[in-house]
Amino acid sequence: MTPKQQYYKNLADTMISHLEKRGFEASFVPDRQAALEAIMPYLTNGNTVSCGGSITLNEIGFNSAVKDANCTFLDRTTAKTPEEKDALYSKVAVCDYYFMSTNAITTDGLLVNIDGTGNRVASLIHGPKNVIIITGMNKVCPDLDSAYKRVKLSAAPPNTVRLDKKTPCAVTGKCADCLSPDCICTHTVITRRSNIPGRIKILLVGEELGY
């Protein structure tokens, strides 16, 4: 490991004890290749899998791997009509493994996510049997206030550009706390523990991933 990856591992080791106290499963891997290898056992025959929109998942190779795997993949991007979306999301709600990243995570184990339509945070909160969260250590924040600021100032603006949203932050790069029809900051969710021990599994990756 590089010195930075070793630093990330040291920090992750400290965080893992806090996460486990909150009912999460947690582990650390040094890089994106190791992250993909760690999740491949979930992408096997008999498992129903889905995911939220995530740059991190794409960067570790999940989007390609899941389509080549033997699992049943519920791909939300294939639903074109409201009826197809309703039918797909009803299946996602009871899938075996739901993959996502987190917008921010604090050193003492709080997850902070801000969502537009709410499908991602809804699956995090309730439904899928297991939620697998993959996050780069660049998303670690010292406390809840800095985590919220990270999402609003560092994560949301580039995502609005990526999604071609017509919001003030997409133009200025700065959050305006807007109520635009294109606003992606609709639902703010703080997850402080897993009510079902081990349902939420967090994979900390020792490099920068996502926004």
Side-chain angles (χ1 to χ4, degrees), residues 28-40 60 203 205 207:
F28 173 84
V29 292
D31 54 40
R32 64 190 68 191
Q33 180 178 348
L36 184 61
E37 292 172 358
I39 65 171
M40 287 305 294
I60 71 165
L203 185 60
V205 186
E207 62 174 295

Side-chain angles (χ1 to χ4, degrees), residues 51-52 54 57 98-102 113 120 124 131-134:
C51 66
S54 170
L57 292 181
Y98 185 85
F99 288 83
M100 58 178 285
S101 189
T102 185
N113 286 282
R120 183 175 62 100
L124 168 63
V131 177
I132 314 297
I133 295 176
I134 298 141

Side-chain angles (χ1 to χ4, degrees), residues 118-141:
N119 63 292
R120 183 175 62 100
V121 293
S123 293
L124 168 63
I125 293 169
H126 178 75
K129 297 180 182 67
N130 299 276
V131 177
I132 314 297
I133 295 176
I134 298 141
T135 183
M137 292 296 288
N138 55 305
K139 295 185 179 182
V140 175
C141 300

